[in-house]
Amino acid sequence: MACKLANSSFLFSGHQQRPIKSHRLSSLSSPGTFYLKLENLSHRSTKQRRCPISFRNSTIVKAVAVPVAPPPADSKEHRDQLCESYGFRQIGEPLPDNITLKDITETIPKKVFEIDDVKAWKSVLVSVTSYTLGLFMIAKAPWYLLPLAWAWTGTAITGFFVIGHDCAHKSFSKNKLVEDIVGTLAFLPLIYPYEPWRFKHDRHHAKTNMLNEDTAWHPVKQKEFDSSPILRKAIIFGYGPFRPWMSIAHWLIWHFDLKKFRPSEVNRVKISLACVFAFMAIGWPLIVLKTGIMGWIKFWLMPWLGYHFWMSTFTMVHHTAPHIPFKSSDEWNAAQAQLNGTVHCDYPRWIEILCHDINVHIPHHISPRIPSYNLRAAHKSLQQNWGKYMNEATWNWRLMKTILTTCHVYHREQNYIAFDNLAPEDSQPIAFLKKVMPDYA
């Protein structure tokens, strides 16, 4: 720090004043402390020497800069800083260890658990209508409007997934056979095998954000990252620029291998796989026969990729943030994982309608038995009783940029280490995302 004592600056010592030569304040610094030393400036101009400042003696002025401590990690100020940095609207306080999932569930009104057949079939009508409209738009749209038609249609068939999702959680109908049939049919356009997904998804709810047991997204392990240069490159691309479509890899890895299921589950898995393969064997050739290969791409493949964009995006936003930890089984707490470890995110209203409020996700993790059409009422109840512990966001580019560029390799204390901190020479895809992705919140 260097400062000059200008003509308008004054220091007084004692009661008498007499003209003296101009002086300069120079700094001698040590951490947290600054010393201002008066030095003779007799060689300066006459105009400067006319400064009517008087000193009895040369003086050393000591100015102490008190260091400002960062806010405590669990303070509101700190959480507000994280909100701004990550693109969140609210980051919840840590949930006390003595709170159980039952304590939270008991505060939710019983009526939100009730199944309403009219509302359930209304959601089916919304999805079928919006999907039909999407196919019509694809058929009629000029080439330059096809991306909009694909975006609408891909979002509409994401609604099919949510209907099957309710069926899998036994929150669609009181008739369980109806649920299995509707769930299987809803998943067919997505070529998703219903029963294999249901078995694995139940495990995700039982082990949410448990490091090794959760079957949804989880951090990369250090040993995987270091295992081979080729795998490292694939992981960097997969958890970086390709992450909004990585649910395709998850779909392939988790749902078609019979060895991943218990003996008691295998027969139901085989039935679901048979349905999917039948749809592919009959449905795909019919599409090609009527519209050609380009028609298959236009009417099925592109909407399917749009669905996987939402599938990947919704899933990673629900449980991935720099402040949300994954815990080993011996440290894991169910209430903390489901309430503190789940994110509510608001999307544009048309997406919320077509996707049946699946992003009102915290009550769904408190109890998967809540039907999708009751999630907002359940969320309101949770806000009233547990609001200060909840993570909430409105979808924005900064939120996505944070996830794609920092939430990578597992670290017990820091939660995540970014790829470019571990292997900058291999992390050009992450540097590219940091450069081109908007930072709007």
Side-chain angles (χ1 to χ4, degrees):
M1 176 187 291
C3 305
K4 288 186 178 180
L5 187 62
N7 292 342
S8 58
S9 299
F10 299 93
L11 288 176
F12 296 97
S13 178
H15 300 287
Q16 296 181 354
Q17 299 182 16
R18 58 189 176 96
I20 64 170
K21 298 175 182 179
S22 296
H23 292 71
R24 182 175 66 189
L25 295 175
S26 65
S27 71
L28 303 172
S29 65
S30 61
T33 305
F34 298 90
Y35 298 92
L36 303 181
K37 181 181 177 182
L38 291 171
E39 294 178 352
N40 192 303
L41 297 181
S42 57
H43 60 281
R44 295 291 189 185
S45 66
T46 305
K47 183 177 180 180
Q48 281 183 307
R49 291 198 299 269
R50 291 173 182 169
C51 174
I53 306 174
S54 63
F55 296 88
R56 182 160 299 200
N57 295 300
S58 293
T59 309
I60 293 179
V61 181
K62 180 178 179 180
V64 179
V66 179
V68 179
D74 59 349
S75 70
K76 184 180 185 305
E77 182 183 356
H78 179 69
R79 291 193 300 274
D80 289 345
Q81 291 174 357
L82 295 184
C83 282
E84 175 66 20
S85 176
Y86 300 160
F88 273 71
R89 188 168 68 235
Q90 174 180 299
I91 288 177
E93 298 179 17
L95 187 70
D97 292 336
N98 62 335
I99 301 296
T100 67
L101 201 55
K102 183 180 179 182
D103 294 331
I104 301 170
T105 305
E106 287 180 346
T107 66
I108 302 175
K110 297 296 184 287
K111 64 181 180 180
V112 304
F113 296 90
E114 296 174 2
I115 292 174
D116 186 323
D117 289 334
V118 173
K119 291 181 179 179
W121 287 103
K122 181 182 175 182
S123 66
V124 175
L125 180 62
V126 168
S127 288
V128 171
T129 303
S130 59
Y131 181 53
T132 303
L133 177 60
L135 294 178
F136 177 78
M137 289 191 294
I138 292 172
K140 299 298 183 181
W143 65 267
Y144 52 85
L145 292 180
L146 278 175
L148 295 177
W150 289 330
W152 174 274
T153 312
T155 308
I157 59 172
T158 304
F160 284 6
F161 172 83
V162 179
I163 291 168
H165 176 266
D166 269 16
C167 292
H169 285 301
K170 308 306 177 188
S171 60
F172 180 83
S173 172
K174 297 173 184 176
N175 187 315
K176 303 312 168 190
L177 178 60
V178 169
E179 285 187 320
D180 289 341
I181 293 172
V182 172
T184 299
L185 293 175
F187 273 28
L188 280 185
L190 310 170
I191 56 174
Y192 240 97
Y194 171 74
E195 293 289 358
W197 178 84
R198 180 171 72 87
F199 293 136
K200 294 306 178 186
H201 188 68
D202 284 348
R203 188 174 173 186
H204 162 63
H205 275 271
K207 310 289 184 181
T208 303
N209 283 27
M210 192 181 290
L211 185 60
N212 296 310
E213 288 78 7
D214 194 348
T215 57
W217 293 69
H218 51 76
V220 178
K221 304 288 182 55
Q222 182 76 50
K223 63 180 180 181
E224 296 170 346
F225 190 68
D226 294 335
S227 59
S228 77
I230 295 176
L231 181 58
R232 173 182 293 182
K233 275 289 188 183
I235 289 173
I236 289 173
F237 274 99
Y239 276 73
F242 294 162
R243 196 166 185 175
W245 288 275
M246 275 298 287
S247 57
I248 297 174
H250 188 272
W251 162 75
L252 280 171
I253 292 169
W254 281 98
H255 303 101
F256 294 90
D257 185 354
L258 294 178
K259 296 177 182 178
K260 292 185 180 294
F261 301 94
R262 302 183 183 96
S264 60
E265 299 170 341
V266 169
N267 286 337
R268 297 183 73 92
V269 169
K270 287 180 178 178
I271 293 172
S272 287
L273 293 178
C275 292
V276 167
F277 292 139
F279 177 84
M280 295 167 67
I282 299 171
W284 284 2
L286 284 175
I287 296 172
V288 173
L289 182 64
K290 294 292 184 180
T291 64
I293 290 293
M294 287 305 299
W296 178 81
I297 294 172
K298 282 175 58 177
F299 289 97
W300 186 82
L301 180 62
M302 297 306 294
W304 185 74
L305 292 175
Y307 152 71
H308 272 287
F309 171 83
W310 289 125
M311 182 73 168
S312 299
T313 299
F314 291 167
T315 303
M316 65 182 174
V317 170
H318 287 160
H319 302 287
T320 309
H323 68 284
I324 295 179
F326 275 72
K327 296 292 186 73
S328 59
S329 56
D330 58 328
E331 297 177 312
W332 187 78
N333 178 293
Q336 291 171 353
Q338 310 297 8
L339 189 70
N340 271 151
T342 305
V343 175
H344 168 87
C345 187
D346 291 316
Y347 290 78
R349 189 64 186 140
W350 69 275
I351 296 173
E352 302 279 20
I353 292 171
L354 295 187
C355 297
H356 308 301
D357 288 334
I358 190 59
N359 293 295
V360 185
H361 208 62
I362 298 175
H364 175 65
H365 265 266
I366 298 302
S367 176
R369 302 300 294 272
I370 301 173
S372 58
Y373 45 80
N374 287 335
L375 289 174
R376 289 196 179 275
H379 184 78
K380 185 175 181 181
S381 172
L382 288 174
Q383 283 181 315
Q384 292 170 350
N385 294 288
W386 307 94
K388 65 180 180 179
Y389 302 112
M390 294 163 64
N391 294 288
E392 297 186 349
T394 299
W395 190 90
N396 62 84
W397 283 109
R398 183 176 299 169
L399 177 67
M400 290 294 290
K401 189 173 185 177
T402 297
I403 295 172
L404 295 178
T405 63
T406 65
C407 297
H408 297 147
V409 179
Y410 170 74
H411 190 276
R412 183 173 179 178
E413 285 76 33
Q414 297 174 225
N415 298 334
Y416 291 97
I417 300 178
F419 290 143
D420 52 354
N421 286 338
L422 291 175
E425 69 282 358
D426 293 325
S427 298
Q428 295 90 345
I430 306 304
F432 174 77
L433 289 178
K434 287 183 174 181
K435 182 177 180 180
V436 303
M437 285 189 74
D439 194 40
Y440 306 137

